[in-house]
Amino acid sequence: MHSLGVRIISQVKLPARWLTARESCSKLFVGGLSYDTNESVLKDVFGRHGEIIEVKVICDHVSGKSKGFGFVQFSAESSASKALHEMDGQLLDGRNIRVHYANKG
């Protein structure tokens, strides 16, 4: 029996979570917001890091009160990256906020 030199090429499959985060790397999730934090506050604070396209604080559709999280979308990925690194864990309206890349969906 002859031994054939078989080269196996495995395809590395990236986790879906990583792919969705990379597709939306100009949009950030901001969690841990004070219920008093509104969109204008987020725009002012995050706007220091670059041009913002959209800011959205998610509110309960019945009560109209904030659910404590929102999204900030920048015009450039570099601005979003800078904001993520500089704002994650910072104090905003008395709460330490969490900042991550937003997942599409």
Side-chain angles (χ1 to χ4, degrees):
M1 223 179 210
H2 288 70
S3 174
L4 296 175
V6 178
R7 191 170 129 183
I8 299 174
I9 300 172
S10 65
Q11 290 184 328
V12 176
K13 236 182 158 179
L14 298 172
R17 189 177 87 199
W18 187 87
L19 292 173
T20 46
R22 295 301 303 158
E23 289 173 0
S24 61
C25 51
S26 67
K27 187 172 185 179
L28 301 177
F29 166 86
V30 184
L33 294 176
S34 163
Y35 297 115
D36 297 324
T37 302
N38 59 34
E39 291 171 357
S40 63
V41 170
L42 278 185
K43 186 172 184 174
D44 288 344
V45 172
F46 280 83
R48 299 174 191 156
H49 304 285
E51 183 183 351
I52 292 178
I53 295 173
E54 181 181 29
V55 175
K56 184 75 177 164
V57 173
I58 306 304
C59 297
D60 181 82
H61 68 281
V62 175
S63 70
K65 292 186 179 187
S66 169
K67 290 188 172 187
F69 67 95
F71 298 91
V72 178
Q73 185 167 9
F74 288 88
S75 62
E77 293 177 12
S78 59
S79 298
S81 176
K82 181 180 175 191
L84 184 148
H85 293 296
E86 292 184 17
M87 293 301 298
D88 187 36
Q90 294 299 310
L91 196 64
L92 178 63
D93 287 342
R95 307 262 326 250
N96 289 97
I97 59 173
R98 298 178 318 277
V99 182
H100 305 282
Y101 286 111
N103 292 330
K104 282 193 172 182

